[in-house]
Amino acid sequence: MKIRFKDHLLVMTAETEEERTTVTSWVLPKKEEVFLLKSQDAQTFLFQRLGPRLEICQEPINVGSRSTDPRICLISNFARAPFELSGRYYESVEAFWQGLKFSDEEKREEIALLSEYEAKKAGLSAPPSDVFWYENEEIRVGSREHWKLMYLACEAKFSQNEKAKRALLSTGTRPLQHKMRKDSTSIPGVIMADIWMKIRTHLAKQELNK
């Protein structure tokens, strides 16, 4: 094995077929890995492989329906991931959220069957209002009580839909973000991301206790 220093790099080159086979099976399938360089003595140093860069460095994941990763798309509110809440069926979290903008129950039931951008678009025709009613309770738009409903809807989605739950748990402990071109005034991205991470923590604990 040939080792040389170049700027801020430590370059290792396999020189025999055996070394090439070993390096290929150990490094290449892992793609970007994080290693810890440790000194053993004055003449010896060690590389300890810590794991995939994205996980070890805890790089944030931006959750959105336009992600190139199908798992992340499934976490987003636009995803078709049916669930029930308070005895009512919803095709997506977005359908639940947009339906709250209407006081008419028939309209809410109509929107409940939608997902992705169709659910988002359905809410655009809602009359402007600072409050809405849910389960005989008046709730102010953008309040903590409003956010709590989003938590309950997401909790129902991930607990009732196995694929969505696995997608959320697959993000491990990496920070989640929800950064869109235009942030929501009723459910800011930081609040939405916090909801996903709290539910993820709860589900992870349930998995450990099985």
Side-chain angles (χ1 to χ4, degrees), residues 37 117 125 193 202:
L37 178 62
Y117 187 70
S125 62
H202 178 68

Side-chain angles (χ1 to χ4, degrees), residues 10 23 46 84 106-107 124 130 137 158 184 189 194-195 204:
L10 178 60
V23 171
L46 306 172
E84 289 187 5
E106 289 188 7
K107 186 65 175 177
L124 298 179
D130 293 332
E137 181 181 357
F158 291 113
S184 171
D194 186 61
I195 287 173

Side-chain angles (χ1 to χ4, degrees), residues 109-147:
E109 290 178 3
E110 177 186 321
I111 296 175
L113 301 177
L114 303 176
S115 61
E116 301 181 350
Y117 187 70
E118 289 300 315
K120 174 74 172 181
K121 186 170 65 174
L124 298 179
S125 62
S129 178
D130 293 332
V131 297
F132 64 92
W133 288 84
Y134 181 79
E135 298 294 306
N136 298 318
E137 181 181 357
E138 185 182 70
I139 297 175
R140 183 164 295 279
V141 173
S143 65
R144 291 184 180 277
E145 289 74 21
H146 197 185
W147 300 343

Side-chain angles (χ1 to χ4, degrees), residues 34-38 46-50:
V34 173
F35 290 81
L36 176 64
L37 178 62
K38 299 191 297 184
L46 306 172
F47 271 120
Q48 178 184 355
R49 187 171 65 186
L50 300 181

